[in-house]
Amino acid sequence: MSGPASIGVDAGSTTFKAVLVDREGRILASFLEPADPRLEEQAARALDALQAPPGTPVGATGYGRRRIHAARTLTEITCHARGAFSRTGEPGILVDVGGQDTKVVRVGPGGAVLDFSMNDKCAAGTGRFLEVILARLRIPKEEIARYAARSTRPVPVTSTCTVFAESEVVSLVARGEAVEDIVKGLHAALASRVASLVGQVPPGSRVFMSGGVALNPAMVEALSKELSVPVSVVPDPQLVGALGAALSALS
Amino acid sequence: MILRKLQYKAISCLGPGLLSVASRIGKRPGRGSAQGAAHPFGPPLESGRKLREIMSLHYLSGRYADGAVPVAWVTSGFPVEPLRALGFHAVYPENHAAVCSVKRLVPELSAAVERLGYSRELCGYARADLGCAVTGTTPVGRLPRPDLLCCCTNICQTVLYWFRALADRFRVPLAVVDAPFVYGEAKAGHLEYFADQLRGLAETAGGIAGRATDRGALLETVRLSREGSLLWAECLAAGRAVPSPWTGFDAFFHMAPIVALRGTKECNGYYRMLRDELNDRISRGVGGIGNERFRLLWDNLPVWHRLRPLSAVLAENGFNIVCSTYAAAWAEAGAAIDPADPEGSMARAYLNVLLNRDLPYRLSFMKRLCAESGSTGAILHSDRSCKPYSIGQVDLQRRLVSEAGVRTLLLEADHADPRSWSEEQAGHRLAAFMESFE
Ligand code: SF4
């Protein structure tokens, strides 16, 4: 294994991620924290934690990328595509459901971005949708998938707007619907919203998922069902953007 | 009345001289003038000064028009030729609203009409124009009171309701020229229907002007209109050179005469000058931006309130908008006008304007523009204000990608209202789009 070659930082709106990679793009160390408004301090903390040799080139992405002292800054679209391709080695459709936006990137050979669409004007269709409503139901993050798995009769949640869905869920609870069934219904609602951004999946195309929401198996399952194609999770889904940034700093 | 006439005439004749002196004195440092190598644009177009001059004169003479000559407020796609032949001074509320948009007055004007119950979903041009009528605010000094309102539904239906509201406010007649939507080719019956309305228009407008149409004057106006469209087409064709001698953003400004002065000698004189300057730049290899690496098509109206920053970020990264459906639309249809058959050819030209045609036509038009200009990418501005232009863009985008291999970006904005603009999100999408070319 070759030594440390570059650092990638993904200063996202909800979490801050950083990775140290070798020449082949293998992740040697990683760092992940909730986003801190004192971004410069957080970046310094990350560099310390990664124990990178001084002078290691840095690539940055994410909403806060311009505040990172980096040799190369690129958008998450490009970085997610590169990061995902380096882990999967395959072109396809990459769905990144992030905390505040959802991106669908058509990744071509070599990890090039062929096309992308984004949902970033409202919280519907983003990780925030689940977060807000599940907090309302007092379900901790780690429990979400277990709840969904227990559902026997998912309740349809018709509002895709986060604010309206929240009040809809309140009335479903009041009506005595089982929390498990509501949780499953919420996943289906989010998946249908994300699927509309994906559009038609051409036959033979692979669909990959990255971002923190990909760690929730219930969401992966709901999206597979909605798209009628299997959805594969990119390994270390939360680090994909940071990995892409590190790869850009390498080249 | 006589005094008004004299004032109107004096401004129209003396104006150019006066304004050219004024514009030389008050000359702002142009884009690219002595600003160093880091500046992303090429040297500014000399014609820009003349453009400011003739458009200022148009608005200045407008201040003295009412009471001197008959005044009509007309929609951009209205067959203006019969009005010009009758001596009307034509005011273009859309052009005026574009000036308000560039000056970022729309939120204030819109708020005035939103308080009266107009929806924010209404086209920003309509809100701006109605806002001017309600508040009396205008960046051009004063707009002349209309004697006649003229609306053609070949661009959208919004104009119909907007002009009805104006007719109500000013208590003047509204002449509507109804344009059936063109699926495929314009049908013979529709052409006849349109031409008939033009004859009716000449009568109504003649009644207001107090005279009958002079056939010779009509033929001359029609000839000028056609010539103007062809000259504008030549200017746009100059953009195909590599590097392009100007940018699509320049063209958005330089299209003002073909919209608001169509059918006049001033318009055509201006485009001769612009064409010659562009050709001269081509022969000297002078580009609209300093380092043109990628060429793009723009679809829909410009984002008037963000033109400068948008053009700068594209130019800094070596991207040049070298063609747009919006600017080209004014060259396409007008060329069909023919003095040999004024009414029939006007019917054809005005029925066939871009927004009155179906999506297959729009797709083929965009593909043609990309191919002619060597554009490998396209920015489709999804304009919250202009629904007829924005509807179908997602399909157009998909087909441009799959059938023409053109990279695309759908950019959500509003041509007039900055309140629909999100700097962070738009900038982010634009950055990702540009990265995908590297
Ligand atoms: S809706 Fe579109 S076509 Fe109609 S007036 Fe507004 S900008 Fe023009």
Side-chain angles (χ1 to χ4, degrees):
Chain A
M1 188 185 269
S2 55
S6 73
I7 294 167
V9 173
D10 178 358
S13 53
T14 41
T15 45
F16 180 103
K17 286 89 52 178
V19 294
L20 177 68
V21 302
D22 67 11
R23 280 248 135 248
E24 278 70 52
R26 281 176 297 229
I27 298 177
L28 306 177
S30 65
F31 173 92
L32 195 147
E33 268 187 7
D36 186 334
R38 286 155 303 205
L39 198 52
E40 289 78 4
E41 287 174 30
Q42 189 163 36
R45 224 165 34 242
L47 293 189
D48 270 357
L50 294 176
Q51 297 190 329
T56 311
V58 178
T61 187
Y63 280 103
R65 64 185 180 279
R66 284 181 217 99
R67 284 169 60 194
I68 306 291
H69 191 69
R72 193 110 202 250
T73 56
L74 288 169
T75 60
E76 302 96 283
I77 311 279
T78 307
C79 290
H80 271 264
R82 286 190 189 164
F85 186 82
S86 87
R87 299 307 296 267
T88 65
E90 274 184 85
I93 295 172
L94 177 68
V95 181
D96 172 66
V97 184
Q100 290 198 358
D101 61 23
T102 292
K103 306 174 255 299
V104 174
V105 188
R106 239 170 17 102
V107 183
V113 174
L114 297 180
D115 205 357
F116 66 91
S117 38
M118 283 178 90
N119 169 15
D120 55 10
K121 286 256 150 108
C122 92
T126 72
R128 192 87 188 131
F129 173 85
L130 279 184
E131 219 173 274
V132 166
I133 300 166
L134 294 171
R136 180 82 193 210
L137 292 170
R138 294 178 190 279
I139 299 176
K141 255 189 177 161
E142 318 71 61
E143 303 274 318
I144 298 171
R146 278 228 306 279
Y147 267 87
R150 284 207 302 264
S151 164
T152 49
R153 196 182 53 88
V155 193
V157 177
T158 49
S159 312
T160 41
C161 161
T162 307
V163 177
F164 289 161
E166 193 179 348
S167 46
E168 190 178 340
V169 163
V170 170
S171 58
L172 290 173
V173 172
R175 220 168 65 191
E177 297 289 355
V179 174
E180 296 80 31
D181 294 337
I182 299 175
V183 170
K184 182 107 179 187
L186 280 169
H187 281 77
L190 176 56
S192 96
R193 183 80 191 203
V194 173
S196 70
L197 203 62
V198 176
Q200 295 246 301
V201 178
S205 267
R206 295 286 313 266
V207 179
F208 299 102
M209 203 171 160
S210 64
V213 178
L215 291 169
N216 170 359
M219 192 55 222
V220 181
E221 188 196 316
L223 188 60
S224 303
K225 195 166 162 218
E226 193 66 39
L227 292 173
S228 310
V229 290
V231 172
S232 322
V233 177
V234 182
D236 302 317
Q238 281 179 294
L239 302 179
V240 171
L243 173 61
L247 295 174
S248 312
L250 266 185
S251 52
Chain B
M1 174 83 174
I2 294 175
L3 183 64
R4 290 293 284 178
K5 271 196 174 144
L6 282 173
Q7 283 175 322
Y8 182 71
K9 268 235 152 353
I11 295 294
S12 308
C13 302
L14 292 176
L18 284 177
L19 283 168
S20 92
V21 172
S23 82
R24 246 177 290 244
I25 294 169
K27 188 172 181 284
R28 282 173 292 164
R31 233 182 39 178
S33 52
Q35 289 183 33
H39 199 73
F41 297 108
L45 285 158
E46 287 295 320
S47 311
R49 189 197 301 151
K50 182 74 183 166
L51 174 72
R52 281 197 295 278
E53 216 175 276
I54 64 168
M55 291 315 292
S56 306
L57 181 62
H58 166 62
Y59 281 111
L60 183 62
S61 63
R63 291 192 213 175
Y64 301 94
D66 40 352
V69 289
V71 174
W73 286 22
V74 297
T75 57
S76 59
F78 192 86
V80 70
E81 294 77 4
L83 300 173
R84 294 218 191 278
L86 284 163
F88 272 85
H89 178 93
V91 172
Y92 283 82
E94 288 155 74
N95 178 260
H96 177 245
V99 177
C100 296
S101 310
V102 172
K103 300 215 178 281
R104 300 183 132 246
L105 290 172
V106 176
E108 170 192 333
L109 295 168
S110 181
V113 289
E114 281 168 40
R115 279 194 290 274
L116 297 179
Y118 285 95
S119 162
R120 209 189 256 202
E121 298 304 318
L122 183 66
C123 168
Y125 275 177
R127 281 181 280 132
D129 177 59
L130 292 168
C132 289
V134 168
T135 60
T137 309
T138 163
V140 301
R142 179 179 167 271
L143 287 178
R145 209 189 127 78
D147 300 302
L148 178 65
L149 292 159
C150 295
C151 157
C152 182
T153 58
N154 58 355
I155 49 169
C156 64
Q157 293 296 314
T158 302
V159 287
L160 183 59
Y161 299 99
W162 165 9
F163 274 56
R164 272 188 190 152
L166 287 175
D168 209 38
R169 182 157 198 98
F170 289 112
R171 308 229 160 266
V172 294
L174 167 64
V176 176
V177 174
D178 179 39
F181 195 76
V182 176
Y183 294 97
E185 294 297 320
K187 295 186 181 55
H190 291 167
L191 290 165
E192 258 167 56
Y193 169 59
F194 198 97
D196 268 353
Q197 295 180 76
L198 290 181
R199 285 182 266 272
L201 167 72
E203 230 166 85
T204 312
I208 286 165
R211 56 165 118 150
T213 302
D214 168 349
R215 201 67 190 162
L218 178 66
L219 293 183
E220 176 59 6
T221 313
V222 163
R223 188 190 67 74
L224 287 170
S225 242
R226 174 188 163 76
E227 186 183 66
S229 300
L230 293 172
L231 284 163
W232 176 236
E234 284 187 59
C235 296
L236 294 178
R240 294 179 203 155
V242 181
S244 173
W246 61 339
T247 77
F249 293 102
D250 295 323
F252 289 144
F253 283 111
H254 289 265
M255 65 189 276
I258 195 65
V259 178
L261 297 172
R262 193 166 65 249
T264 67
K265 287 197 184 101
E266 293 74 31
C267 167
N268 299 5
Y270 176 68
Y271 286 128
R272 262 184 220 104
M273 173 180 178
L274 177 63
R275 174 203 57 194
D276 293 347
E277 184 183 0
L278 291 171
N279 287 335
D280 174 58
R281 283 168 75 109
I282 293 173
S283 66
R284 292 186 292 117
V286 176
I289 68 168
N291 177 23
E292 181 182 289
R293 298 191 300 138
F294 304 103
R295 296 161 68 86
L296 305 176
L297 162 93
W298 179 279
D299 183 50
N300 214 322
L301 278 83
V303 187
W304 287 118
H305 50 93
R306 303 297 305 163
L307 273 188
R308 216 158 262 283
L310 263 177
S311 58
V313 76
L314 284 166
E316 276 158 15
N317 289 284
F319 287 78
N320 195 6
I321 304 276
V322 291
C323 58
S324 71
T325 53
Y326 186 53
W330 296 95
E332 285 288 303
I337 299 179
D338 183 358
D341 174 17
E343 285 79 11
S345 65
M346 274 193 276
R348 186 169 296 283
Y350 285 102
L351 269 181
N352 278 330
V353 299
L354 186 65
L355 288 184
N356 204 43
R357 302 200 64 173
D358 58 10
L359 286 182
Y361 175 78
R362 276 176 54 191
L363 178 66
S364 66
F365 186 44
M366 288 165 90
K367 283 187 190 167
R368 170 154 64 85
L369 289 178
C370 285
E372 284 172 353
S373 63
S375 294
T376 54
I379 297 179
L380 290 84
H381 164 206
S382 172
D383 184 350
R384 197 178 175 91
S385 262
C386 189
K387 279 80 176 172
Y389 218 141
S390 307
I391 201 149
Q393 272 180 321
V394 173
D395 292 311
L396 290 173
Q397 178 189 25
R398 290 217 176 104
R399 294 190 52 181
L400 268 182
V401 173
S402 64
E403 295 172 22
V406 171
R407 285 180 193 277
T408 57
L409 172 72
L410 199 69
L411 192 68
E412 287 171 53
D414 187 296
H415 69 263
D417 196 337
R419 291 172 299 181
S420 298
W421 175 261
S422 162
E423 187 67 48
E424 180 62 32
Q425 286 161 347
H428 189 235
R429 284 170 194 231
L430 202 58
F433 175 64
M434 292 191 292
E435 282 169 12
S436 74
F437 283 77
E438 300 290 347

